[in-house]
Amino acid sequence: MAHLGSGALILALILAIYGIVATLFGARRRIPELLLSGYRATYAVAFLVAIALIALVVSFLRHDFRLAYVAGRSSRDMPLHYVIAAFYGGQEGSLLYWTLVASGLGALALYLHRRSDRALLPYMNATLLSVLTFLLLVLTVVSSPFRLLPVTPPDGAGLNPLLRDPGMMAHPPFLLSGYASFTVPFAFGMAALITGRLGSDWLRAIRRWTLLAWALLGLGLLIGAWWAYHVLGWGGYWGWDPVENLALLPWLTSTAFLHSVIVQERRGMLKVWNLALLLATFALCIFGTFIVRSGMLSSVHAFAVSAIGHWFLAFLALVLVVGIGLLIYRLPGLQSERQIESVSSREAGFLLNNLLLTAIAFAVFWGTTFPLFSELFWDTRITVGPPFYNRVIGPLLLVLFLLMAIGPLLAWRRTDVRLLLRNVGWPAAAGIIVGLVGLVLLSRPWAAIAYAVTVFAVGVTLQEFWRGTVARRRNARENVLVAAWELLRRNNRRYGGYLVHLAILLMAVGIIASNAFQLERQFVLRPGEQGTIGPYTVIYRGLEDRRTADAEIVAAQVDIYRGQRYAGTVESFRFFYRNYEDQPTARMGITLVGMDDVYVVLDRWEDDGTASLRVYVNPLVIWIWIGGVVFVLGTVTLFWPQPVPALARVPQSVAGATSEA
């Protein structure tokens, strides 16, 4: 398997280089046979990378510890699902998985667009193969997953304890797929710059590919938040960890891109901005990978320091130099066809939306990389903590939520302000009432203001759904449920976007409450003793030792009461895995009581059964996960095919006969 996998990667590298030359030469000299050969090279590269990945997975399943990568990530006593997932649990395997996704989606895009975007395809293919050449070069020369050990160990070290969790089955695949999927829209964007075809054709070609990458990355971030919440034990779901931040950055810039392309399609504006956002998104994917693999920033997600980081830094520099150079070269052809006529227009709203998202991305980028700059200029590494992000990003998000409410009501070119005020009347009234009540009842004024804005935005979003449903019901004479379904199905781009907006706002409900009103207490209890936190009483029942095939487990059992009412029993775990006994990992005991998460962490314990327990009460966190479900529904809706008009469904012969008559 080692020879099969490494041979497949070497052959894929050779074919990728050949494909670049054949595609460019065939396009420039107009030799269709050579151009087709270059396209077929892309299909072959995707096939060979798939063969290499299958060889690696089979090596894990067979416990082939001759491979250094398998021996370092797997062991015989690991459950089967972790053995399979272990192939992307390290540097080499994750890069191979990334290469598979990029090559597979690139080959699929090449096939699907073979007739509709022929002018762009040669240069899209050359760009795609250039990215794949870099990845394959790293996998064959620098960091091969098929490196053999001089002596075969009887067993492997096993997967890192932090990765032995159900979240491992979903978070890395989605996140890495999101990173890799941006290769396709980036390749189309570069093709547009190279060919000078800078209209809307390339935007239409990449819309679904960008949506796919954006959705995969967003879902990966959500699953990562859930994973962190029940494993890392600080009582939260987002700790502003550097690697988390770097994964968020391309999602923010691609969100801005998905909004601003609407302006270019409708009004011929923001052309430079769109290409810059696309370039920035792909560059941030490479930058995030460089940081993770360079060890420059401390993170629970980062790999050990390795030479691979320098390769990614060089590739990032190349991407930026070529991309920015082409962008500057094409500036004369990227002039806007129209100008913004009014600050109350939808164009202005989209532009402000982009500026806010970009400002948030810059704040996250600056806070994340500040330790590097501080060490470079002042010889002192200064780490930026959550207070910085909360104070800077919080106000920007509130303005963004306001814009999410007002933006859909704005008209192109110019908006009647009186009509706008009339349309936001009821949602604005609801937001004001919530804000005033919150200022009276809540101890955090900023939380009251945040909820007022959130309720206003939710109200406008629901009002738009209701108005559309009522209008369709009146015109089509359908009942409410059918009208709502047909509205979403036939206008999926607009109302699917509203669903995503609603998802973000629902998440905000949980984020605001859990940040503003979280309770935390530390208890040292003997079995049978109890403690109180807010309205809750926790009764510690004792410790229990357990054993599985690959770990020894200590479980603390805790009963939860709200007042006098029994609310449930939770178990908080500590795992000690073989070969990692000095790296115990945790799984929190969490139970939902009403709208509160009662969250129990086992910190320490004594031989007599005394335990140190950290208990949190996290209000409304459930709304983050509800928002996540709505996010998935919204993104799925965005991919629905548009209904074909009735005339378009008429058979061609019938249509021809009708026209002749």
Side-chain angles (χ1 to χ4, degrees), residues 102 126-136 183 186 282 286 315:
T127 303
L128 171 71
L129 288 175
S130 298
V131 175
L132 294 177
T133 297
F134 164 73
L135 293 172
L136 290 166
T183 305
F186 169 73
F282 184 73
I286 302 300
F315 183 62

Side-chain angles (χ1 to χ4, degrees), residues 541-620:
R541 294 303 183 190
L543 298 174
E544 184 177 326
D545 293 329
R546 301 173 187 173
R547 183 184 295 271
T548 63
D550 60 341
E552 294 183 358
I553 306 170
V554 177
Q557 296 180 336
V558 179
D559 292 342
I560 310 295
Y561 287 81
R562 184 180 176 96
Q564 300 299 315
R565 183 176 63 85
Y566 172 72
T569 298
V570 299
E571 289 186 317
S572 186
F573 300 97
R574 285 285 176 172
F575 295 85
F576 296 84
Y577 290 97
R578 185 181 61 82
N579 296 329
Y580 294 94
E581 288 82 2
D582 59 341
Q583 299 180 39
T585 57
R587 188 172 300 164
M588 309 310 135
I590 306 172
T591 187
L592 178 65
V593 185
M595 284 290 152
D596 294 336
D597 274 359
V598 181
Y599 182 106
V600 180
V601 185
L602 173 61
D603 283 334
R604 297 181 304 277
W605 58 95
E606 305 294 340
D607 292 338
D608 64 356
T610 301
S612 175
L613 301 172
R614 198 158 19 101
V615 181
Y616 298 87
V617 176
N618 296 327
L620 302 184

Side-chain angles (χ1 to χ4, degrees), residues 463-485:
Q463 178 179 265
E464 285 298 291
F465 268 106
W466 177 248
R467 286 180 172 176
T469 301
V470 169
R472 176 164 184 87
R473 183 188 179 204
R474 183 172 56 247
N475 295 332
R477 297 181 180 179
E478 299 165 339
N479 66 51
V480 172
L481 293 178
V482 173
W485 169 258

